[in-house]
C-alpha cells in the first residue's frame, strides 16, 4: 500500500496516510460507498442507511456533447422514464382532443401544441424530483457528494469535484451503479457534431421540429411516437428490425399503428453522413440497403437512439482487475451482484446481462444493501420482469416472446391463445383498433403454465403489471379462465381468451 501511494498517486500525503491507517486498522470512513446516484444507487444507499450503515453516494453528470446537464437521480428521472412518459402523455392528450369532438366536446379554433409549455412543465417536475432526492438522502443520513468517483483499490474511492477538488473515501464495500449513456454511431461523419440523443431531447427549450430518429429499439420508437403525437414530422430509420428482443409479432403491431398514426419509417436504411446546410437544416444522407441506393433529406433535428453504453473506463476498473465484457464495456456480475474483485459490487444498467430497467435496478439495489448489511440473503430474481413500451399504441409484456418460447419448448410444446379486441373507448371515437391485440403463450402440455403474456392497447403498463404477479406466481391457462373479468375493460379480454393460433380461427372478439 505504501509503495502504491508513493509512486502512482497524486493525492496529498495526508490523504494517503489516512487511507493506509483506515485499511490497517480495519476501520473505514463508511460501510458503503455507492458510485452513481441513479435509480439503483439511490435505492441501495437509502436502504443501507436505513439499516444503520454509514453510507456515502457519489453522483456526477458529465454534460452531453450538446451541453445538456441535469441533477441528482440518474437516467430515469432526468433523461429517461419520467420525462419520456410525460411527453408520451402530451401526445396521448392530442389523440384525446381528437376523440373529444366525437364525444361532444365543442373545442373552438384550431388545436395546436406548444413545445415550450410542455417542456417547462416536464423540466420543472424533474427539478422537483432532483430536489426530493437530495432531501431524502439528507433525511436518511446518506452523505451525498456531487463528485465523479473512480476506484483506487477495493476499499478506496477517489472523488473529484467539477472544480477539480479531490476527496478520498474508504469503505468496507463499494457499489458501482453508474448506468450508461447514449452512443453515437461510429463512421457517420457529422453524427455527434450535429445530433441529439435522449440525453438532450427532453431538455430542449425549442421544438426539435422535423426530426429523424435513427434506431429502432424502444427508446427510438417512444421518442418518434411522442414527437408525432404532438404534431411534428418524424421519421424512424430502421437498420434491420424494430424492437429487437421483443416479440416480433407485437413489434409489427406497434410499428403498423405508428405508421397509421403518422410516423414515417425508413426500413432497411443506414445513415451515411450528416451535413449542416447554410439554412441551418441538417442534411442526412443514407443508404437503402435493400436497393443499394443513396438518399438525402433535410431535417431540423437528428436524434440518435442507437444504443447505450457505460462509461466504465473512467472508473479505473482495469487496474483493479474488475472483469468487464470487452464488447459492451459492462461489468461482469454474479447472481449476488458481486464482481470479480471482492468487496466491489455492481448492478443496474452497468451490470452485464441485466435488464436496462428502473424497477430492476431499484429492487436489486435494495436487496444488495440488505445482504451487505447482513439482514438478508435474498437474491434479485431477474425472471419474468414485466415491461411496457410507451409508443402511441402501448405494448406491455411479461415472460417469453412467442419466438423465445418456441425456441425453448419447440412449436409443438407451446399453445398460443390470442384475441384482436376493440377497446370500448375507441368505438364512439371511431378509432381503428386493428392493432389492439392480446396473446397468452402457454406450455401446451400439463397444466398449461403461462410462459408469456403480451398486450397492445391503452394503458398497457397498468394492464400488464397485474398479470405479471400472476405469471410470477406460476399462473396457468385455467387460472386465467377462472379469473372473473372487470367489465368493461381491455384487460378482461385475457380472462376470456380461447382461440388458439394453431386453430387458425378468426381471433377477432365480437360482442360484449
Ligand atoms: P442510472 O439511472 O443511469 O444512474 C447512474 C448515475 O451515475 C447517473 O446519474 C450518472 O450520471 C452517474 N455516474 C456515472 N458515472 C459516474 C461516476 N464515475 N461518478 C459519479 N456518478 C457517476 N426504464 C424503465 O423501467 N421504464 C421506462 O419507461 C424507461 N424509459 C427509458 C427511456 C429512456 C429514454 C432511457 C434512456 C431509459 C429508459 N429506461 C426506462 C431505463 C432506465 O432509465 C434505466 O434502466 C435506469 O435509470 C438504470 O438505473 P441505474 O441506477 O443503473 O443507472
Ligand atoms: P438498443 O436497445 O441497444 O437498440 C439500438 C437500436 O439502434 C437498434 O434498433 C439497432 O439496430 C440500432 N442501431 C445501432 N447502431 C446503429 C447504426 N449505426 N445505425 C443505425 N441503427 C443502429 O438501444 P436503445 O437506445 O433504443 O435502448 C437502450 C436501452 O436504454 C433500453 O434497453 C432501455 O432500457 C433504455 P439493430 O437491431 O442492431 O440492427
Amino acid at each position: 500500500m505504501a509503495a502504491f501511494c508513493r509512486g502512482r498517486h497524486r493525492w496529498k500525503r495526508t490523504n494517503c496516510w489516512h487511507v493506509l491507517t483506515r485499511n490497517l486498522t480495519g476501520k473505514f470512513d463508511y460501510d458503503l460507498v455507492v458510485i452513481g446516484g441513479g435509480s439503483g444507487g439511490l435505492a441501495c444507499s437509502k436502504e443501507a442507511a436505513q439499516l444503520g450503515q454509514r453510507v456515502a453516494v457519489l453522483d456526477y453528470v458529465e454534460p452531453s456533447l450538446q451541453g445538456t446537464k441535469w441533477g441528482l437521480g440518474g437516467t430515469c428521472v432526468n433523461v429517461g422514464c419520467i420525462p419520456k412518459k410525460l411527453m408520451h402523455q402530451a401526445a396521448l392528450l392530442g389523440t384525446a382532443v381528437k376523440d373529444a369532438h366525437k364525444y361532444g366536446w365543442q373545442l373552438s379554433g384550431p388545436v395546436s401544441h406548444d413545445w415550450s409549455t410542455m417542456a417547462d412543465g416536464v423540466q420543472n417536475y424533474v427539478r422537483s424530483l432532483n430536489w426530493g432526492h437530495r432531501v431524502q438522502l439528507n433525511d436518511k443520513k446518506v452523505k451525498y457528494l456531487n463528485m465523479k468517483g473512480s476506484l483506487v483499490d477495493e476499499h478506496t474511492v477517489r472523488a473529484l469535484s467539477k472544480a477539480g477538488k479531490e476527496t478520498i473515501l474508504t469503505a468496507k464495500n463499494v457499489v458501482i451503479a453508474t448506468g450508461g449513456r447514449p452512443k453515437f454511431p461510429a463512421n457517420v461523419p457529422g453524427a455527434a457534431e450535429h445530433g441529439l440523443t435522449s440525453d438532450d431531447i427532453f431538455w430542449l427549450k425549442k421544438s426539435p421540429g422535423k426530426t429523424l430518429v435513427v434506431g429502432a429499439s424502444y427508446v427510438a420508437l417512444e421518442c418518434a411516437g411522442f414527437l408525432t403525437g404532438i404534431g411534428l414530422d418524424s421519421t424512424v430509420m430502421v437498420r434491420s428490425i424494430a424492437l429487437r428482443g421483443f416479440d416480433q409479432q407485437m413489434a409489427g403491431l406497434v410499428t403498423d399503428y405508428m405508421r397509421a398514426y403518422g410516423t414515417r419509417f425508413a426500413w432497411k436504411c443506414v445513415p451515411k453522413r450528416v451535413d449542416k446546410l447554410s439554412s441551418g437544416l441538417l442534411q442526412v444522407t443514407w443508404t437503402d440497403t435493400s436497393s443499394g441506393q443513396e438518399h438525402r433529406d433535410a431535417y431540423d433535428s437528428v436524434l440518435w437512439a442507437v444504443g447505450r453504453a457505460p462509461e466504465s473506463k473512467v472508473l479505473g476498473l482495469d487496474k483493479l482487475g474488475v472483469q468487464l465484457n470487452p464488447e459492451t464495456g459492462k461489468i461482469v456480475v454474479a447472481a449476488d451482484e458481486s464482481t470479480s474483485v471482492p468487496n466491489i459490487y455492481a448492478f443496474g444498467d452497468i451490470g452485464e446481462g441485466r435488464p436496462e430497467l428502473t424497477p430492476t435496478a431499484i429492487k436489486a439495489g435494495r436487496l444488495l444493501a440488505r445482504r451487505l448489511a447482513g439482514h438478508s440473503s435474498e437474491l434479485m430474481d431477474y425472471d419474468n420482469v414485466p415491461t411496457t413500451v410507451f409508443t402511441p399504441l402501448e405494448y406491455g409484456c411479461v415472460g417469453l416472446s412467442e419466438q423465445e418460447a418456441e425456441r425453448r419448448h419447440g412449436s409443438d410444446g407451446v399453445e398460443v391463445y390470442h384475441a384482436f379486441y376493440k377497446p370500448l373507448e375507441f368505438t364512439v371515437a371511431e378509432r381503428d383498433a386493428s392493432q389492439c391485440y392480446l396473446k397468452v403463450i402457454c406450455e401446451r402440455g400439463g397444466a398449461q403454465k403461462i410462459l408469456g403474456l403480451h398486450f397492445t392497447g391503452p394503458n398497457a403498463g397498468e394492464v400488464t403489471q397485474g398479470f405479471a404477479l400472476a405469471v410470477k406466481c406460476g399462473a396457468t391457462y385455467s387460472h386465467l379462465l377462472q379469473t372473473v373479468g372487470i367489465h368493461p375493460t381491455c384487460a378482461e379480454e385475457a380472462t376470456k381468451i380461447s382461440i388458439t393460433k394453431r386453430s387458425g380461427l378468426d381471433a377477432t372478439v365480437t360482442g360484449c
Side-chain angles (χ1 to χ4, degrees), residues 204-507:
L204 296 179
K205 291 286 172 209
K206 272 182 22 211
S207 167
K210 179 182 173 186
T211 305
L212 175 69
V213 180
V214 186
S217 188
Y218 81 69
V219 171
L221 297 187
E222 289 178 338
C223 289
F226 77 70
L227 293 175
T228 309
I230 59 169
L232 299 180
D233 180 336
S234 49
T235 303
V236 183
M237 186 169 286
V238 186
R239 175 169 75 174
S240 55
I241 56 167
L243 293 179
R244 183 180 296 287
F246 286 87
D247 187 285
Q248 283 301 295
Q249 182 193 7
M250 304 308 285
L253 294 172
V254 166
T255 52
D256 283 352
Y257 185 92
M258 282 180 75
R259 206 179 40 218
Y261 185 74
T263 309
R264 300 172 205 272
F265 282 86
W267 293 99
K268 308 273 184 257
C269 290
V270 287
K272 210 168 163 200
R273 58 181 301 117
V274 181
D275 296 289
K276 191 159 193 162
L277 303 174
S278 53
S279 62
L281 289 175
L282 301 175
Q283 178 178 271
V284 181
T285 310
W286 70 87
T287 309
D288 180 334
T289 56
S290 39
S291 65
Q293 281 186 343
E294 205 168 282
H295 298 273
R296 249 181 221 119
D297 199 358
Y299 299 87
D300 295 303
S301 303
V302 178
L303 177 75
W304 299 98
V306 293
R308 296 174 61 82
E311 294 186 331
S312 38
K313 279 206 186 87
V314 295
L315 291 166
L317 301 170
D318 45 346
K319 286 178 298 183
L320 270 75
V322 176
Q323 198 191 338
L324 303 181
N325 175 332
E327 266 170 44
T328 60
K330 294 190 176 191
I331 301 176
V332 176
V333 282
D336 64 353
E337 327 295 355
S338 60
T339 68
S340 55
V341 173
N343 309 309
I344 301 179
Y345 297 82
F347 71 98
D349 283 9
I350 196 158
E352 178 60 38
R354 298 301 190 223
E356 292 186 12
L357 292 170
T358 277
T360 48
I362 291 176
K363 210 174 257 297
R366 286 202 184 122
L367 290 171
L368 175 61
R370 283 180 212 160
R371 292 195 302 275
L372 293 179
H375 274 249
S376 154
S377 57
E378 188 186 344
L379 295 175
M380 174 68 194
D381 179 357
Y382 290 100
D383 266 352
N384 289 324
V385 169
T387 189
T388 288
V389 181
F390 293 98
T391 32
L393 184 68
E394 297 175 4
Y395 163 38
C397 60
V398 55
L400 304 182
S401 66
E402 189 175 339
Q403 297 80 41
E404 183 58 20
E406 287 189 348
R407 198 185 65 76
R408 292 193 197 180
H409 298 269
S411 50
D412 283 344
V414 169
E415 196 73 274
V416 179
Y417 295 91
H418 68 159
F420 283 97
Y421 70 97
K422 185 157 196 158
L424 183 64
E425 51 272 47
F426 279 33
T427 53
V428 172
E430 294 171 26
R431 276 168 65 186
D432 179 24
S434 309
Q435 288 88 22
C436 292
Y437 180 70
L438 171 71
K439 76 175 166 186
V440 183
I441 303 158
C442 302
E443 280 177 2
R444 195 164 175 211
Q448 290 200 287
K449 188 172 173 221
I450 300 173
L451 301 170
L453 188 143
H454 301 259
F455 172 93
T456 45
N459 305 307
E462 314 299 338
V463 170
T464 312
Q465 185 69 80
F467 288 115
L469 170 69
V471 171
K472 201 80 195 155
C473 293
T476 62
Y477 176 60
S478 58
H479 286 133
L480 211 52
L481 293 193
Q482 284 160 26
T483 303
V484 177
I486 299 170
H487 191 65
T489 63
C490 298
E492 72 174 314
E493 300 303 338
T495 66
K496 300 188 286 191
I497 202 158
S498 63
I499 306 287
T500 63
K501 259 196 177 178
R502 193 182 306 280
S503 72
L505 294 172
D506 183 1

Side-chain angles (χ1 to χ4, degrees), residues 36 38-40 59-60 74-75 81 84 149 177-179 308 348-349 356-359:
S39 310
D59 190 60
Y60 187 85
T75 303
C81 336
K84 180 274 306 280
T178 47
R308 296 174 61 82
D349 283 9
E356 292 186 12
L357 292 170
T358 277

